[in-house]
């Protein structure tokens, strides 16, 4: 096995590290154990594709779980091959193509739940916030674009800095739902900035959950507040952050643009 390390993201806040692993028979590797060994926010195993319409299959791991989808992993696959590529992740085929120094990866159609979370005070408590800090004009909704999260609008950016997951209260909010965390979104002054709040360990670091920005973009599109594209600033739990361009067109559907820069190449593992 050989490990390339990429730094992924976009804009001035690039900082998330991805360990991209290539080699024979990676399907048989314990990906979770390898991710814990490498310690990167994301570890990606490039495997043989199972689908005829895909060139490669990507298995994506944090140190705590395997992800069904990661746009950062798709960017790295494009950068590793320096060409357009269609990759398989979970049950999804994702097309990646170059765009200057960046990469554009297709996203599944984002979905927002139709039923708002009723107990807004409990949602706020689960994030260490007061109910008054939530945006009164917007509902709290579950969202998914490959990664399931709870999308929580707040009125001011200052609330992003203070949000912290309180596990007991969070469990009462989620009950049996399998959401990996909350995407706290501020639209103050017409801007769009978000912070992922997940596991107290910080190992998740917001990585992979960038996909959940697309459901929020969809919500704004429904309200007539979004054109064909929008830029978001995303903050993670351990200092990671990046700016992401989420776009939608009738011809190409949803996509996200970002960069993947090589940090190191050639680390061999046995």
């Amino acid at each position: 096995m050989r490990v390339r390390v990429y730094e992924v993201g976009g804009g001035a806040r690039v900082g998330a590290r991805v360990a991209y692993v290539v080699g024979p028979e990676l399907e048989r590797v314990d990906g979770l154990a390898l991710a814990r060994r490498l310690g990167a926010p994301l570890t990606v195993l490039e495997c043989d594709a199972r689908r005829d319409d895909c060139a490669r299959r990507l298995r994506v791991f944090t140190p705590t779980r395997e992800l069904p989808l990661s746009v950062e992993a798709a960017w790295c696959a494009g950068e590793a091959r320096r060409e357009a590529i269609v990759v398989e992740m979970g049950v999804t085929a994702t097309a990646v193509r170059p765009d200057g120094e960046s990469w554009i990866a297709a996203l599944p159609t984002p979905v927002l739940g139709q039923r708002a979370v009723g107990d807004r005070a409990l949602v706020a408590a689960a994030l260490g916030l007061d109910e008054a800090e939530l945006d009164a004009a917007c509902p709290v909704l579950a969202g998914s674009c490959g990664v399931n999260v709870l999308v929580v609008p707040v009125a001011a950016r200052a609330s992003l800095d203070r949000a912290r997951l309180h596990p007991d209260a969070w469990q009462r909010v989620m009950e049996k739902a399998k959401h990996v965390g909350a995407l706290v979104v501020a639209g103050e002054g017409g801007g769009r900035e978000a912070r992922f709040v997940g596991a107290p360990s910080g190992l998740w670091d917001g990585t992979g959950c960038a996909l959940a920005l697309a459901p929020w973009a969809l919500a704004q599109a429904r309200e007539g507040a979004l054109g064909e594209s929008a830029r978001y600033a995303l903050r993670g739990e351990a200092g990671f952050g990046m700016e992401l361009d989420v776009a939608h067109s009738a011809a190409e559907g949803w996509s996200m643009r970002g960069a993947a820069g090589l940090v190191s190449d050639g680390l061999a593992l046995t």
Side-chain angles (χ1 to χ4, degrees), residues 190 192 217 219-227 229-230:
R192 300 181 179 94
Q220 292 184 320
R222 288 173 177 169
E223 297 168 6
L226 177 70
S229 64

Side-chain angles (χ1 to χ4, degrees), residues 99-100 121 134 245 266-267:
D99 179 40
L134 303 189
D245 291 314
L267 174 63

Side-chain angles (χ1 to χ4, degrees), residues 188-232:
E188 183 181 21
R192 300 181 179 94
E193 190 163 354
R195 179 179 173 195
F196 175 75
V197 183
S201 67
L203 288 175
W204 182 277
D205 200 25
T207 308
C209 201
L211 292 168
L213 288 168
W216 182 249
L218 180 62
Q220 292 184 320
R222 288 173 177 169
E223 297 168 6
L226 177 70
E228 292 188 351
S229 64
R231 168 160 285 199
Y232 290 85

